[in-house]
Amino acid sequence: LGGASAAPRPLRAPLRVSPGCRAAPGRFAYKLLHDLFANYSSALRPVEDTDRALNVTLKVTLAQIIDMDERNQVLTSYLWVRQTWLDAHLTWDKDEYGGIDSIRIPSSYVWRPDIILYNNADEHFGGSMETNVVLRSDGHITWDSPAITKSSCKVDVSYFPFDGQQCRLTFGSWTHNGNQIDLRNQLDSGDLTDFVENVEWEVLGMPATRNVITYGCCSEPYPDVTYTLLLRRRASFYIFNLLLPCIMVSFLAPLGFYLPADSGEKVSLGVTVLLALTVFQLLVAESMPPSESVPLIGKYYIATMTMITASTALTIFIMNVHHCGPGARPVPPWARRLILHHLARLCCVYEVGESCKSPQRAPGGRAAPGDARAAAESPGDGQEGVEVRGCPWDHCLCHHDGLLRDVGYIAGCFRRHRANQRRTGEWKKVAKVMDRFFMWVFFLMVFLMSVLVLGNAA
């Protein structure tokens, strides 16, 4: 039993010493911090030789595209900016400080390069967040800081909503030239590993280029790193909410020619379609920048509105032809030959009893309604029938002069009435043929414009 009770004592001894062992690195960290910053100034560039440039490496990670304001041409993005440089005054021997190889301290303690976004469009001009820096024993400092940036971006909406944009993010030192700070990019492109997909924009890439520019104010070179954000708009929302309704409304405009002229709704339909397209045009204009570049969908709206205006004007002209009245002159021979013969057969316009292939005379040999020859022969045929089927000349009252004048007057009125009806019917048929012809012409124009818009988008 005595041996058993003595055995656990060596196991308790390390437990009493362990708190002191764990506290030793903490004391070393305090001593290291005190020794490093005893005679350190964060105002001066940390190099041993002031004639040599300090290398600063930049890496940008795109986390999210928050907003793309096309009207004000401002891109709001969420970035993670990593800067790495060597501070020659902040090195130590890790063996003398309990093996501490790196410490994390507030970034305000050390010198930081004044790397800013050149094309910043934020009214408050906010910089990066004040995060800690990682300081290593060999003097290398890594500063990771998230930032929400608003950058100016030249927006080209010529192919809206099938457009793509190129937004540049240019980083560089504001006061140090290339002989003092040599800025370089760590990767050939921005890091998109942790990017959160945007519902409106698709990111195609983010290539990085290093530029050395000499400005007019100074003779020294100023290096910068430019990240070009390649964006492509997701057009599904605009197709279903702006383009397809416009196409469907546009196909209603040619149907105004198909409406009967007596309905009184032909002009109303054209004006209603024109007002609907005007509303769509205003919706597009509100979101686009007021520039000389007209978007593709805006060109489609303007072309469609011009077509509908022309169709409404043609409808008014055709209605005037339809309602010309009995006092109108006869249809000219060229119009009868071109419109009533050729165009009527081409557009397959025929009256009741006529055939599309032979519109002048219906099957069976009977004259079609409105046939000039049939109308001219009908009164004469009736008069001859009276003479043939009538009573003998010396046994009826038809030889009285007064009765003959009355019968002649009635027959003349009947002939004039039939001639007016025939003339009015011909003009109505001219209007109907013109309606059908322009209906197919405008249908073809709407189809070609829609195909042209989709072809330019592709």
Side-chain angles (χ1 to χ4, degrees):
L1 293 176
S5 62
R9 290 182 181 177
L11 298 176
R12 295 194 187 110
L15 295 177
R16 296 191 189 98
V17 180
S18 60
C21 294
R22 288 198 301 268
R27 290 197 301 269
F28 286 134
Y30 278 104
K31 184 177 183 301
L32 174 62
L33 184 64
H34 180 269
D35 293 344
L36 287 176
F37 295 96
N39 297 317
Y40 182 82
S41 175
S42 61
L44 298 177
R45 192 166 53 96
V47 291
E48 295 180 351
D49 186 2
T50 56
D51 294 334
R52 298 184 59 182
L54 178 64
N55 294 326
V56 178
T57 304
L58 182 67
K59 177 185 177 183
V60 173
T61 300
L62 179 63
Q64 185 181 3
I65 295 176
I66 299 177
D67 183 38
M68 179 65 175
D69 189 357
E70 293 92 346
R71 190 169 185 84
N72 296 318
Q73 303 189 76
V74 174
L75 171 67
T76 305
S77 55
Y78 178 37
L79 305 176
W80 299 343
V81 182
R82 168 175 289 188
Q83 304 177 42
T84 306
W85 67 94
L86 176 63
D87 196 321
H89 304 316
L90 297 178
T91 60
W92 70 90
D93 186 2
K94 59 184 178 181
D95 295 333
E96 295 180 1
Y97 294 93
I100 298 178
D101 183 56
S102 63
I103 57 174
R104 286 157 178 81
I105 56 177
S107 59
S108 58
Y109 284 19
V110 301
W111 176 90
R112 294 173 296 179
D114 55 345
I115 305 298
I116 64 171
L117 181 64
Y118 280 175
N119 56 334
N120 198 323
D122 193 357
E123 56 183 0
H124 302 292
F125 211 85
S128 302
M129 186 180 297
E130 295 293 335
T131 56
N132 292 340
V133 297
V134 179
L135 176 59
R136 301 191 180 277
S137 60
D138 55 357
H140 282 88
I141 297 179
T142 302
W143 183 25
D144 290 330
S145 60
I148 296 179
T149 61
K150 290 185 177 181
S151 58
S152 59
C153 178
K154 185 178 180 181
V155 178
D156 184 12
V157 292
S158 300
Y159 292 95
F160 175 84
F162 306 97
D163 57 330
Q165 305 297 334
Q166 295 185 3
C167 295
R168 291 176 173 82
L169 303 172
T170 303
F171 294 90
S173 176
W174 189 250
T175 58
H176 296 89
N177 55 49
N179 299 325
Q180 297 170 342
I181 290 182
D182 187 11
L183 182 63
R184 296 185 178 275
N185 50 305
Q186 183 177 350
L187 301 174
D188 293 335
S189 63
D191 189 7
L192 301 176
T193 306
D194 300 317
F195 176 71
V196 179
E197 293 291 337
N198 189 268
V199 295
E200 185 179 0
W201 296 95
E202 179 184 359
V203 178
L204 303 180
M206 193 177 178
T209 56
R210 180 179 180 271
N211 308 305
V212 179
I213 302 176
T214 302
Y215 297 96
C217 64
C218 314
S219 60
E220 296 84 2
Y222 282 84
D224 63 67
V225 176
T226 301
Y227 292 88
T228 305
L229 190 58
L230 305 179
L231 302 175
R232 183 171 63 188
R233 192 188 302 271
R234 303 179 189 272
S236 301
F237 174 81
Y238 299 97
I239 289 176
F240 286 101
N241 291 276
L242 290 180
L243 190 57
L244 284 183
C246 175
I247 293 176
M248 290 187 291
V249 169
S250 301
F251 274 100
L252 286 178
L255 291 178
F257 292 105
Y258 193 74
L259 279 175
D262 298 330
S263 64
E265 299 293 335
K266 295 172 72 68
V267 179
S268 300
L269 178 61
V271 174
T272 303
V273 173
L274 186 61
L275 292 177
L277 290 178
T278 304
V279 173
F280 283 115
Q281 175 70 16
L282 292 177
L283 290 177
V284 174
E286 287 179 357
S287 59
M288 294 294 102
S291 62
E292 296 181 355
S293 178
V294 181
L296 183 63
I297 190 172
K299 295 178 181 178
Y300 179 72
Y301 285 162
I302 293 298
T304 306
M305 291 167 65
T306 304
M307 183 200 67
I308 294 174
T309 303
S311 67
T312 306
L314 285 173
T315 299
I316 296 174
F317 171 73
I318 294 174
M319 288 184 65
N320 189 20
V321 173
H322 179 84
H323 296 285
C324 59
R329 291 180 295 180
V331 179
W334 65 268
R336 182 180 290 108
R337 182 170 55 255
L338 177 63
I339 299 176
L340 296 182
H341 292 177
H342 299 291
L343 282 183
R345 184 171 301 177
L346 179 64
C347 300
C348 202
V349 177
Y350 52 94
E351 301 294 338
V352 178
E354 293 180 348
S355 174
C356 181
K357 297 182 180 180
S358 56
Q360 295 301 316
R361 187 168 298 275
R366 295 184 301 170
D371 195 344
R373 290 176 295 179
E377 294 173 0
S378 57
D381 294 343
Q383 188 174 0
E384 293 176 359
V386 172
E387 294 180 359
V388 173
R389 295 189 300 269
C391 57
W393 179 262
D394 54 350
H395 291 86
C396 69
L397 301 179
C398 296
H399 58 280
H400 294 285
D401 296 336
L403 185 59
L404 290 176
R405 286 195 299 269
D406 293 341
V407 172
Y409 176 77
I410 294 174
C413 291
F414 181 73
R415 292 191 187 96
R416 289 193 297 271
H417 178 69
R418 290 293 300 270
N420 292 334
Q421 283 186 342
R422 183 173 64 253
R423 189 181 305 116
T424 304
E426 287 181 348
W427 281 115
K428 287 184 178 181
K429 189 173 182 180
V430 168
K432 186 175 181 180
V433 172
M434 293 175 64
D435 268 335
R436 295 294 175 84
F437 175 72
F438 286 117
M439 181 187 72
W440 291 115
V441 169
F442 280 92
F443 263 129
L444 182 62
M445 291 176 60
V446 172
F447 177 76
L448 289 179
M449 284 193 300
S450 303
V451 172
L452 183 63
V453 168
L454 296 178
N456 287 334

